[in-house]
Amino acid sequence: MALAPPVDGLNFELPEDLKLLKRSIREFVEKELWPLTDHLEQHDEIPKSALDKMRAMGLFGLPFSEEFGGAGIGELGYCVALEELGRANSAFSNVLGAHCSIGVMALYLDGGDALKKRYMPVLCTGEKLGCFALSEPAAGSDAANIQTAARLGGESYVLNGVKHFITSGDLADYATVFAVTDKSLGARGGITAFWVDLNQPGVTRGKNDAKMGLYGSHTCELIFQDAKVPVDHVIGKVGMGFITAMKTLDMGRLSLGAGCVGGSQILLEKAIAHAKERVQFGKPIAKQQAVQFMLADIATEIHAARNMVYHGAWKADRGERFSLEAAMVKRYCSDMAIFVVDRVLQIHGGMGFMKETGIERAYRDARILAIYEGTNEIQRMIIAEELLK
Ligand code: COS
């Protein structure tokens, strides 16, 4: 018997519409995306037909408001969706994240109404795709050190520089590009965000990088040589681009955590099934305390991670600053995912090392989680700075 009715305002149950969304994305993943697992590994590409199905599901507009053509389900709904999508190859959540979480998010958060009205509808349907171009060869963790420059000439800015490791740089039609507009001001007033058409003279895409994992999701260089960007394609205010980048990355870090939760949950399910089935010393290995303890630790980690993601998303949807929570989510969930896949592989023993179980793929795919969208060392810096303010 409950001690008292639940406290108003604190509710750990997802609303009905999000439960429905969760179910429909799970079905979509199982029916449409799981069968593509081997294809992605062998061909390092998501088939166009699968991207079209993701478009038809409305995935590319999930976090954005209905006013601009989105689904209007907010950050929590988006995280629930990405959690489910995380049950498929990581490439799917990665491509969706490059578009929604960061590529288009900067435009959505800080872009002016006219710019958003012009571009958001086709971005929300996924007819056009976006990406996020911040990193450069000499500016990874030290994002304020970017060298790409934008010089004002008449009605346009002229962009010059090189961006690298740009997720979906090959697929995207548009990019949010961060460039220096006043070298003397650095992060505080010297960097501007631009909405850039990638199919124009002056923009070249490098060849796709050869990576350790995440097959199906590509990264490449974007090279700008006197590429023109109309002045009305500045996102937000001139000089405020660094803040836009940081706010956008806060969003990206939450949704990355959501993908980690889904990817780890399905590995736990695999480990439980295997432990019940695999007989050694005359009984299923699930009867061995060593295996039980591993399962218990995995489940506990996932539970903690999921609650952190939902809490961060809840705060984001309330319009409160959540940079601290986003950094904690990114650090915790990515480490959790790496821990989980390692333990699940251990439970599978030698079979876990074989390609056919899919666990070695998940193991390779997980490694980048502690690096991209801000290394976990950077997340610790953000957390500590907040604590010591
Ligand atoms: N939201 C709003 N404003 C923010 C912010 C956020 N999340 N983070 C920083 N700012 C503001 C700061 O408040 C500061 O402004 P004020 O001086 O007016 O307070 C300004 O931005 C500069 O911030 P800071 O001094 O922290 O900048 P640093 O150059 O020290 O860099 C880190 C901060 C390291 C956190 C940043 O460079 C970073 O996140 N690096 C990782 C980049 C990354 O994630 N790359 C991944 C590739 S893109 S997928």
Side-chain angles (χ1 to χ4, degrees), residues 321 323-324 380-389:
R321 176 126 181 219
S323 308
L324 173 67
R380 288 184 176 90
M381 272 169 54
I382 296 171
I383 297 164
E385 194 167 318
E386 192 68 28
L387 296 177
L388 300 170
K389 249 182 194 165

Side-chain angles (χ1 to χ4, degrees), residues 135 141 143 188 242-243 246 249-250 253 321 323 373-374 382:
S135 297
S141 289
R188 290 173 186 79
F242 190 76
I243 310 286
M246 294 298 113
L249 285 171
D250 285 347
R253 288 164 186 164
R321 176 126 181 219
S323 308
E373 304 237 359
I382 296 171

Side-chain angles (χ1 to χ4, degrees), residues 93-105:
S93 50
N94 221 48
V95 164
L96 190 72
H99 173 85
C100 290
S101 313
I102 50 179
V104 179
M105 189 58 79

